Amino acid sequence: MESVGLFEAKTHLSEYVARAEAGEEVIITRHSKPVAKIVPCTAMDVQSEEEARHRTEAIEWLLSNRIKVKLEPGETLKSWIEDERRF
């Protein structure tokens, strides 16, 4: 796994994306500290249109009904929406 500075990554982004498509991973650093990683996407990483539509509809429903959501510590709105038992 290669490590490159942020300037280098910006300058040659298309090269690093092509390498990710080929299965490689590249760590991006800022001031010699790792801050990001370019990795290949897998089929499981990509949301289906149906999942995305469900989340959008759930958020629109919450907003249109002025529902206030109280999240538990460590809970995210995404996890709250994904828990279909709450609808």
Side-chain angles (χ1 to χ4, degrees):
M1 181 175 343
E2 186 176 353
S3 178
V4 297
L6 181 59
F7 179 80
E8 171 74 13
K10 289 192 310 184
T11 305
H12 301 283
L13 180 60
S14 59
E15 174 189 333
Y16 293 116
V17 170
R19 289 169 67 174
E21 287 176 322
E24 293 183 48
E25 294 184 2
V26 178
I27 294 178
I28 310 296
T29 62
R30 178 184 286 152
H31 306 295
S32 301
K33 294 180 182 175
V35 295
K37 187 189 291 188
I38 300 175
V39 298
C41 287
T42 64
M44 292 182 68
D45 292 334
V46 181
Q47 285 184 347
S48 71
E49 285 186 38
E50 185 177 327
E51 290 176 81
R53 186 172 33 257
H54 171 73
R55 288 191 182 106
T56 301
E57 289 171 356
I59 291 170
E60 288 173 350
W61 182 84
L62 289 170
L63 293 172
S64 67
N65 290 290
R66 299 178 185 239
I67 304 295
K68 293 185 179 179
V69 177
K70 182 176 181 183
L71 301 175
E72 299 297 324
E75 189 177 27
T76 65
L77 183 57
K78 179 180 176 183
S79 66
W80 193 89
I81 290 170
E82 288 173 345
D83 186 0
E84 294 183 24
R85 292 174 293 160
R86 298 184 185 195
F87 289 98

